[in-house]
Coordinates of all heavy atoms in Angstrom, one line a residue:
T46 N 9.6 -76.5 -20.3 CA 9.6 -77.4 -21.5 C 10.5 -76.7 -22.6 O 10.4 -75.5 -22.8 CB 8.2 -77.5 -22.1 OG1 7.3 -78.0 -21.2 CG2 8.2 -78.4 -23.4
P47 N 11.4 -77.5 -23.1 CA 12.3 -77.0 -24.1 C 11.6 -76.3 -25.2 O 10.6 -76.8 -25.8 CB 13.1 -78.2 -24.6 CG 13.1 -79.1 -23.5 CD 11.7 -78.9 -22.8
L48 N 12.0 -75.1 -25.6 CA 11.3 -74.3 -26.6 C 11.2 -75.1 -27.9 O 10.1 -75.0 -28.6 CB 12.0 -73.0 -26.8 CG 11.4 -72.0 -27.8 CD1 9.9 -71.8 -27.4 CD2 12.1 -70.7 -27.7
E49 N 12.2 -75.8 -28.3 CA 12.2 -76.5 -29.6 C 11.1 -77.6 -29.6 O 10.5 -77.9 -30.6 CB 13.6 -77.0 -30.0 CG 14.2 -78.0 -29.0 CD 15.0 -77.3 -27.9 OE1 14.8 -76.1 -27.7 OE2 15.9 -78.0 -27.3
D50 N 10.9 -78.2 -28.4 CA 9.9 -79.2 -28.3 C 8.5 -78.6 -28.4 O 7.6 -79.2 -29.1 CB 10.0 -79.9 -27.0 CG 11.2 -80.8 -26.9 OD1 11.9 -81.0 -28.0 OD2 11.6 -81.2 -25.8
L51 N 8.3 -77.4 -27.9 CA 7.0 -76.7 -28.0 C 6.7 -76.4 -29.5 O 5.6 -76.5 -30.0 CB 6.9 -75.5 -27.1 CG 6.8 -75.7 -25.6 CD1 7.0 -74.4 -24.9 CD2 5.5 -76.3 -25.3
V52 N 7.8 -75.9 -30.1 CA 7.6 -75.5 -31.5 C 7.3 -76.7 -32.4 O 6.4 -76.7 -33.2 CB 8.9 -74.9 -32.0 CG1 8.9 -74.7 -33.6 CG2 9.2 -73.5 -31.4
M53 N 7.9 -77.9 -32.1 CA 7.6 -79.1 -32.8 C 6.2 -79.5 -32.6 O 5.5 -79.9 -33.5 CB 8.6 -80.2 -32.4 CG 8.4 -81.5 -33.2 SD 8.7 -81.2 -35.0 CE 10.5 -80.9 -34.9
A54 N 5.7 -79.5 -31.3 CA 4.3 -79.9 -31.0 C 3.3 -79.0 -31.7 O 2.3 -79.4 -32.3 CB 4.1 -79.9 -29.5
R55 N 3.7 -77.7 -31.8 CA 2.8 -76.7 -32.4 C 2.8 -77.0 -33.9 O 1.7 -76.9 -34.5 CB 3.4 -75.3 -32.1 CG 2.8 -74.2 -32.8 CD 1.3 -74.0 -32.3 NE 0.8 -72.7 -32.8 CZ 0.2 -72.6 -34.0 NH1 0.1 -73.7 -34.8 NH2 -0.3 -71.5 -34.4
E56 N 3.9 -77.2 -34.5 CA 3.9 -77.4 -36.0 C 3.3 -78.7 -36.4 O 2.6 -78.8 -37.4 CB 5.4 -77.4 -36.5 CG 6.0 -76.0 -36.4 CD 7.4 -76.0 -36.9 OE1 8.0 -77.0 -37.3 OE2 8.0 -74.9 -37.0
N57 N 3.5 -79.8 -35.6 CA 2.9 -81.1 -35.9 C 1.4 -81.1 -35.9 O 0.7 -81.9 -36.6 CB 3.4 -82.1 -34.9 CG 4.9 -82.5 -35.2 OD1 5.4 -82.2 -36.3 ND2 5.5 -83.1 -34.2
T58 N 0.8 -80.2 -35.0 CA -0.7 -80.2 -34.9 C -1.3 -79.1 -35.7 O -2.5 -79.2 -35.9 CB -1.1 -80.1 -33.4 OG1 -0.5 -78.9 -32.9 CG2 -0.6 -81.3 -32.6
G59 N -0.6 -78.0 -36.0 CA -1.2 -76.9 -36.6 C -2.1 -76.0 -35.7 O -2.8 -75.2 -36.1
L60 N -2.0 -76.3 -34.4 CA -2.8 -75.5 -33.4 C -2.2 -74.1 -33.2 O -1.0 -73.9 -33.3 CB -2.9 -76.2 -32.1 CG -3.6 -77.6 -32.1 CD1 -3.4 -78.3 -30.7 CD2 -5.1 -77.3 -32.3
E61 N -3.1 -73.2 -33.0 CA -2.7 -71.8 -32.7 C -2.5 -71.7 -31.2 O -3.4 -72.0 -30.4 CB -3.7 -70.8 -33.2 CG -3.3 -69.3 -32.9 CD -4.2 -68.3 -33.6 OE1 -5.0 -68.7 -34.4 OE2 -4.1 -67.2 -33.2
I62 N -1.4 -71.2 -30.7 CA -1.2 -70.9 -29.3 C -1.7 -69.5 -29.1 O -1.0 -68.5 -29.5 CB 0.3 -71.0 -28.9 CG1 0.8 -72.5 -29.1 CG2 0.5 -70.6 -27.4 CD1 2.2 -72.7 -28.8
V63 N -2.8 -69.4 -28.4 CA -3.5 -68.1 -28.4 C -3.1 -67.3 -27.1 O -3.3 -66.1 -27.1 CB -5.0 -68.2 -28.5 CG1 -5.4 -68.9 -29.8 CG2 -5.6 -69.0 -27.3
L64 N -2.6 -67.9 -26.1 CA -2.3 -67.3 -24.8 C -1.4 -68.1 -24.0 O -1.5 -69.3 -24.0 CB -3.6 -67.1 -24.1 CG -3.5 -66.5 -22.6 CD1 -3.3 -65.0 -22.7 CD2 -4.8 -66.8 -21.8
F65 N -0.4 -67.5 -23.4 CA 0.2 -68.1 -22.2 C 0.7 -67.0 -21.2 O 0.5 -65.8 -21.5 CB 1.4 -69.1 -22.5 CG 2.6 -68.5 -23.2 CD1 3.6 -67.9 -22.4 CD2 2.8 -68.6 -24.5 CE1 4.8 -67.4 -23.0 CE2 4.0 -68.1 -25.1 CZ 5.0 -67.5 -24.3
T66 N 1.2 -67.4 -20.1 CA 1.4 -66.5 -19.0 C 2.9 -66.3 -18.7 O 3.7 -67.2 -18.8 CB 0.8 -67.0 -17.7 OG1 -0.6 -67.2 -17.9 CG2 0.9 -66.0 -16.5
M67 N 3.3 -65.0 -18.4 CA 4.7 -64.7 -18.1 C 5.0 -65.5 -16.8 O 4.2 -65.7 -16.0 CB 4.9 -63.2 -17.9 CG 4.6 -62.4 -19.1 SD 4.9 -60.6 -18.8 CE 4.2 -59.9 -20.3
A68 N 6.3 -65.7 -16.6 CA 6.8 -66.4 -15.4 C 6.3 -65.6 -14.2 O 6.4 -64.4 -14.1 CB 8.3 -66.5 -15.4
P69 N 5.8 -66.3 -13.1 CA 5.2 -65.7 -12.0 C 6.1 -65.3 -10.9 O 5.7 -64.8 -9.8 CB 4.2 -66.7 -11.5 CG 4.9 -68.0 -11.8 CD 5.7 -67.8 -13.0
G70 N 7.4 -65.5 -11.0 CA 8.3 -65.3 -9.9 C 8.5 -66.7 -9.3 O 8.5 -67.7 -9.9
N71 N 8.8 -66.7 -8.0 CA 9.0 -68.0 -7.3 C 7.7 -68.5 -6.7 O 7.2 -68.1 -5.6 CB 10.0 -67.8 -6.1 CG 10.5 -69.1 -5.5 OD1 9.7 -70.1 -5.4 ND2 11.7 -69.2 -5.2
W72 N 7.0 -69.4 -7.4 CA 5.7 -69.9 -7.1 C 5.7 -70.6 -5.7 O 4.8 -70.4 -4.9 CB 5.2 -70.8 -8.1 CG 3.8 -71.2 -8.0 CD1 3.3 -72.3 -7.3 CD2 2.6 -70.6 -8.6 NE1 1.9 -72.4 -7.4 CE2 1.5 -71.3 -8.2 CE3 2.5 -69.5 -9.5 CZ2 0.2 -71.0 -8.6 CZ3 1.2 -69.2 -9.9 CH2 0.1 -69.9 -9.4
N73 N 6.7 -71.4 -5.5 CA 6.8 -72.1 -4.2 C 7.0 -71.2 -3.0 O 6.6 -71.6 -1.9 CB 8.0 -73.2 -4.3 CG 7.7 -74.3 -5.3 OD1 6.5 -74.6 -5.6 ND2 8.8 -74.8 -5.8
N74 N 7.5 -70.0 -3.2 CA 7.7 -69.1 -2.1 C 6.5 -68.1 -2.0 O 6.5 -67.2 -1.2 CB 8.9 -68.3 -2.3 CG 10.2 -69.1 -1.9 OD1 10.1 -70.1 -1.4 ND2 11.4 -68.5 -2.2
G75 N 5.4 -68.4 -2.8 CA 4.2 -67.6 -2.7 C 4.0 -66.5 -3.7 O 3.0 -65.8 -3.7
D76 N 5.0 -66.4 -4.7 CA 4.8 -65.4 -5.7 C 3.6 -65.8 -6.6 O 3.5 -67.0 -7.0 CB 6.0 -65.3 -6.6 CG 7.2 -64.5 -5.9 OD1 6.9 -63.8 -5.0 OD2 8.3 -64.6 -6.3
R77 N 2.8 -64.8 -7.0 CA 1.7 -65.1 -8.0 C 1.8 -63.9 -9.0 O 0.8 -63.3 -9.3 CB 0.4 -65.1 -7.3 CG 0.2 -66.3 -6.3 CD 0.2 -67.6 -7.1 NE 0.0 -68.7 -6.2 CZ 0.9 -69.4 -5.5 NH1 2.2 -69.1 -5.7 NH2 0.6 -70.4 -4.7
G78 N 3.0 -63.7 -9.5 CA 3.2 -62.6 -10.5 C 4.1 -61.6 -9.9 O 4.3 -61.5 -8.7
L79 N 4.7 -60.7 -10.8 CA 5.6 -59.7 -10.4 C 5.2 -58.3 -10.8 O 5.9 -57.4 -10.4 CB 7.0 -60.1 -11.1 CG 7.6 -61.4 -10.7 CD1 8.8 -61.6 -11.6 CD2 8.1 -61.4 -9.2
S80 N 4.2 -58.2 -11.7 CA 4.1 -56.9 -12.3 C 3.6 -55.7 -11.4 O 3.8 -54.6 -11.7 CB 3.1 -57.0 -13.5 OG 1.9 -57.6 -13.1
A81 N 3.1 -56.1 -10.2 CA 2.7 -55.0 -9.3 C 3.6 -55.0 -8.0 O 3.3 -54.2 -7.1 CB 1.3 -55.2 -8.8
I82 N 4.7 -55.7 -8.0 CA 5.5 -55.9 -6.8 C 6.6 -54.8 -6.8 O 7.5 -54.8 -7.7 CB 6.1 -57.3 -6.7 CG1 5.1 -58.3 -6.9 CG2 6.8 -57.4 -5.4 CD1 3.9 -58.3 -5.9
P83 N 6.6 -53.9 -5.9 CA 7.7 -52.9 -5.8 C 9.0 -53.5 -5.6 O 9.2 -54.5 -5.0 CB 7.3 -52.0 -4.6 CG 5.8 -52.2 -4.4 CD 5.6 -53.7 -4.8
N84 N 10.0 -52.8 -6.2 CA 11.4 -53.2 -6.0 C 11.8 -54.5 -6.7 O 12.9 -55.1 -6.4 CB 11.8 -53.2 -4.5 CG 11.5 -52.0 -3.8 OD1 11.9 -50.9 -4.3 ND2 10.9 -52.0 -2.6
R85 N 11.0 -55.0 -7.6 CA 11.3 -56.2 -8.4 C 11.1 -56.0 -9.8 O 10.9 -56.9 -10.6 CB 10.4 -57.4 -7.9 CG 10.7 -57.7 -6.4 CD 9.9 -59.0 -6.0 NE 10.3 -60.2 -6.6 CZ 9.8 -61.4 -6.3 NH1 8.9 -61.5 -5.4 NH2 10.3 -62.5 -6.9
Q86 N 11.3 -54.7 -10.2 CA 11.1 -54.4 -11.7 C 12.1 -55.1 -12.5 O 11.8 -55.5 -13.7 CB 11.2 -52.9 -11.8 CG 10.0 -52.1 -11.4 CD 10.1 -51.6 -9.9 OE1 10.8 -52.3 -9.1 NE2 9.5 -50.5 -9.6
R87 N 13.3 -55.3 -12.1 CA 14.3 -56.0 -12.9 C 13.9 -57.4 -13.2 O 14.0 -57.9 -14.3 CB 15.6 -56.0 -12.2 CG 16.7 -56.7 -13.0 CD 18.1 -56.5 -12.3 NE 19.1 -57.2 -13.1 CZ 20.4 -57.3 -12.7 NH1 20.8 -56.6 -11.6 NH2 21.3 -57.9 -13.4
E88 N 13.4 -58.1 -12.2 CA 12.9 -59.5 -12.4 C 11.7 -59.5 -13.4 O 11.6 -60.4 -14.2 CB 12.4 -60.1 -11.1 CG 13.5 -60.4 -10.1 CD 13.0 -60.9 -8.8 OE1 12.5 -62.1 -8.8 OE2 12.9 -60.2 -7.8
F89 N 10.8 -58.5 -13.2 CA 9.7 -58.4 -14.1 C 10.1 -58.3 -15.5 O 9.7 -58.9 -16.4 CB 8.8 -57.3 -13.7 CG 7.7 -57.0 -14.7 CD1 6.6 -57.9 -14.8 CD2 7.7 -55.9 -15.6 CE1 5.6 -57.7 -15.7 CE2 6.7 -55.7 -16.5 CZ 5.6 -56.6 -16.5
R90 N 11.1 -57.4 -15.8 CA 11.5 -57.1 -17.1 C 12.2 -58.4 -17.7 O 12.1 -58.6 -18.9 CB 12.4 -55.9 -17.2 CG 11.7 -54.6 -16.9 CD 12.5 -53.4 -17.1 NE 11.7 -52.2 -16.9 CZ 12.0 -51.0 -17.3 NH1 13.1 -50.8 -18.1 NH2 11.2 -49.9 -17.0
E91 N 12.9 -59.1 -16.9 CA 13.5 -60.3 -17.3 C 12.5 -61.4 -17.7 O 12.6 -62.1 -18.7 CB 14.4 -60.9 -16.2 CG 15.7 -60.1 -16.0 CD 16.5 -60.6 -14.8 OE1 16.0 -61.5 -14.0 OE2 17.6 -60.1 -14.6
S92 N 11.4 -61.4 -17.0 CA 10.3 -62.3 -17.3 C 9.6 -61.9 -18.6 O 9.2 -62.8 -19.4 CB 9.2 -62.4 -16.2 OG 8.4 -61.2 -16.1
V93 N 9.5 -60.6 -18.9 CA 8.9 -60.2 -20.1 C 9.8 -60.6 -21.3 O 9.3 -61.1 -22.3 CB 8.8 -58.6 -20.1 CG1 8.3 -58.1 -21.5 CG2 7.8 -58.2 -19.1
A94 N 11.1 -60.4 -21.1 CA 12.1 -60.8 -22.2 C 12.0 -62.3 -22.5 O 12.0 -62.7 -23.6 CB 13.5 -60.4 -21.8
T95 N 11.9 -63.1 -21.4 CA 11.8 -64.6 -21.6 C 10.5 -64.9 -22.3 O 10.5 -65.8 -23.3 CB 11.9 -65.3 -20.3 OG1 13.1 -65.0 -19.6 CG2 11.7 -66.8 -20.5
A96 N 9.4 -64.3 -21.9 CA 8.1 -64.6 -22.6 C 8.1 -64.2 -24.0 O 7.6 -64.9 -24.9 CB 7.0 -63.9 -21.8
V97 N 8.7 -63.1 -24.3 CA 8.8 -62.6 -25.7 C 9.6 -63.6 -26.6 O 9.3 -63.9 -27.7 CB 9.4 -61.2 -25.8 CG1 9.7 -60.8 -27.3 CG2 8.4 -60.2 -25.2
R98 N 10.7 -64.1 -26.0 CA 11.5 -65.1 -26.7 C 10.7 -66.3 -27.0 O 10.8 -66.9 -28.2 CB 12.7 -65.5 -25.9 CG 13.7 -66.5 -26.5 CD 15.0 -66.6 -25.8 NE 14.8 -67.1 -24.4 CZ 14.7 -68.4 -24.1 NH1 14.8 -69.3 -25.1 NH2 14.6 -68.8 -22.9
Y99 N 9.9 -66.8 -26.1 CA 9.1 -68.0 -26.3 C 8.0 -67.6 -27.4 O 7.7 -68.4 -28.3 CB 8.4 -68.5 -25.0 CG 9.2 -69.5 -24.3 CD1 10.4 -69.2 -23.7 CD2 8.7 -70.8 -24.3 CE1 11.2 -70.2 -23.1 CE2 9.5 -71.8 -23.6 CZ 10.7 -71.5 -23.0 OH 11.4 -72.5 -22.4
A100 N 7.4 -66.5 -27.2 CA 6.3 -66.1 -28.1 C 6.7 -65.9 -29.5 O 6.0 -66.4 -30.4 CB 5.6 -64.9 -27.6
T101 N 7.8 -65.3 -29.7 CA 8.3 -65.0 -31.1 C 8.7 -66.3 -31.8 O 8.6 -66.5 -33.0 CB 9.4 -64.0 -31.1 OG1 10.5 -64.4 -30.2 CG2 8.9 -62.6 -30.7
A102 N 9.2 -67.3 -31.0 CA 9.5 -68.6 -31.6 C 8.3 -69.4 -32.0 O 8.3 -70.3 -32.8 CB 10.4 -69.4 -30.6
L103 N 7.1 -69.1 -31.3 CA 5.9 -69.8 -31.6 C 4.9 -69.1 -32.4 O 3.7 -69.5 -32.5 CB 5.3 -70.2 -30.2 CG 6.1 -71.1 -29.3 CD1 5.6 -71.1 -27.9 CD2 6.0 -72.5 -29.9
K104 N 5.3 -68.0 -33.1 CA 4.3 -67.3 -33.8 C 5.0 -66.6 -35.0 O 6.2 -66.6 -35.2 CB 3.7 -66.2 -32.9 CG 4.7 -65.2 -32.4 CD 4.5 -63.8 -33.1 CE 5.5 -62.8 -32.6 NZ 5.3 -61.5 -33.2
C105 N 4.1 -66.0 -35.9 CA 4.6 -65.1 -36.9 C 3.8 -63.8 -36.7 O 3.0 -63.7 -35.8 CB 4.4 -65.7 -38.3 SG 2.7 -65.8 -38.8
K106 N 4.1 -62.8 -37.6 CA 3.3 -61.6 -37.5 C 1.8 -61.9 -37.9 O 1.5 -63.0 -38.3 CB 3.8 -60.6 -38.5 CG 5.3 -60.1 -38.1 CD 5.3 -59.4 -36.8 CE 6.7 -58.9 -36.5 NZ 6.8 -58.3 -35.1
R107 N 1.0 -61.0 -37.7 CA -0.5 -61.3 -37.8 C -0.9 -61.5 -39.2 O -2.0 -62.1 -39.4 CB -1.3 -60.2 -37.1 CG -1.1 -60.1 -35.6 CD -2.1 -59.3 -34.9 NE -1.9 -59.2 -33.5 CZ -2.7 -58.8 -32.6 NH1 -3.9 -58.4 -33.0 NH2 -2.4 -58.8 -31.4
F108 N -0.2 -61.2 -40.2 CA -0.6 -61.5 -41.5 C -0.5 -63.0 -41.7 O 0.4 -63.6 -41.1 CB 0.2 -60.8 -42.6 CG 1.7 -61.1 -42.7 CD1 2.1 -62.3 -43.4 CD2 2.6 -60.3 -42.1 CE1 3.4 -62.6 -43.4 CE2 4.0 -60.7 -42.1 CZ 4.4 -61.8 -42.8

Side-chain angles (χ1 to χ4, degrees):
T46 302
L48 183 52
E49 58 272 21
D50 292 346
L51 288 170
V52 171
M53 184 62 68
R55 174 68 171 84
E56 292 182 354
N57 287 342
T58 58
L60 292 171
E61 182 173 345
I62 299 177
V63 301
L64 173 78
F65 68 82
T66 305
M67 296 180 194
N71 191 324
W72 189 272
N73 292 332
N74 284 350
D76 286 340
R77 296 296 183 268
L79 299 170
S80 53
I82 311 299
N84 304 314
R85 298 183 69 178
Q86 285 91 333
R87 180 175 178 179
E88 291 176 73
F89 173 74
R90 293 189 178 199
E91 289 173 352
S92 75
V93 174
T95 299
V97 168
R98 180 169 63 86
Y99 268 69
T101 53
L103 292 165
K104 64 108 180 180
C105 70
K106 296 299 183 182
R107 293 196 183 192
F108 65 82

